[in-house]
Amino acid sequence: SFVLGANNTYSGGTFIGAGTVVIQNGVNATGSGGVVVTNDPKGYNAAGVLTWNTSTATISGSVTLHSASSSLIAQLGPAGGLASLNIQGGITFDANSRPIFTLSPTYNGANDKVVVHNGVNGGGVQIGISCGATLDTTHDYVLFTSTAGTITGDFDPTPMWTDTTPAYANQYSIITSGNEVHLHYSP
């Protein structure tokens, strides 16, 4: 892991080709450029992971996740616990990438929601959900919100349960509603 724990002023962007980059500071930890999470260009058997452990994590540029190998999945998700991410640009999920969200058993609006200011492209990828044995069946969990752009390239409607498979797992689906992506429960 490589921890970015302070404001950074570099502008060339951040490339994560292997290992994990942790955003520990709220604003400008990744400088002002974009962030690319991909498989290692040196040929190592690894792909990058972008994670954060603060509720004020912000990326100034856009984010792209892509891996050239189906056995190496580029990932985006929090470093244990519930924390949101704010992306000032857009986010694109290409081949062999996955967002992972940690959801609490009772909906209270606190989850790993990713707020994107310039559009979300799901690229048909499957969303990973980390949760306990139960999830709230009375509210949708908001996963992505796009404030100034659209949601394109819908996500795979079937969530991937990464830890525990919750009760009624087959009744949950990933849906797009307006400018948001939700984990939706259908009774």
Side-chain angles (χ1 to χ4, degrees):
S1 291
F2 184 77
V3 176
L4 295 172
N7 286 330
N8 287 301
T9 58
Y10 66 88
S11 60
T14 304
F15 184 90
I16 306 166
T20 300
V21 168
V22 180
I23 299 173
Q24 194 171 43
N25 178 348
V27 181
N28 295 329
T30 58
S32 61
V35 176
V36 175
V37 184
T38 188
N39 58 297
D40 192 300
K42 301 286 186 186
Y44 296 112
N45 193 23
V49 176
L50 175 61
T51 189
W52 59 95
N53 62 8
T54 175
S55 62
T56 58
T58 300
I59 295 174
S60 296
S62 292
V63 176
T64 301
L65 287 91
H66 170 83
S67 174
S69 171
S70 61
S71 65
L72 304 174
I73 305 298
Q75 293 185 34
L76 168 87
L82 307 174
S84 60
L85 175 65
N86 189 318
I87 299 173
Q88 298 296 310
I91 188 166
T92 300
F93 293 93
D94 288 335
N96 308 312
S97 65
R98 178 171 299 123
I100 297 177
F101 292 88
T102 302
L103 303 180
S104 59
T106 304
Y107 178 83
N108 62 5
N111 61 56
D112 302 328
K113 178 170 64 176
V114 176
V115 177
V116 182
H117 294 270
N118 197 15
V120 176
N121 184 337
V125 303
Q126 195 171 31
I127 294 178
I129 304 291
S130 174
C131 63
T134 61
L135 285 170
D136 196 321
T137 59
T138 59
H139 295 89
D140 279 7
Y141 289 86
V142 177
L143 306 176
F144 290 99
T145 297
S146 181
T147 62
T150 58
I151 308 289
T152 59
D154 290 338
F155 292 92
D156 184 318
T158 304
M160 178 180 151
W161 308 107
T162 61
D163 294 324
T164 302
T165 302
Y168 312 112
N170 63 343
Q171 292 174 259
Y172 286 95
S173 60
I174 304 296
I175 65 167
T176 299
S177 177
N179 67 339
E180 294 181 333
V181 175
H182 297 222
L183 176 66
H184 176 72
Y185 175 77
S186 297

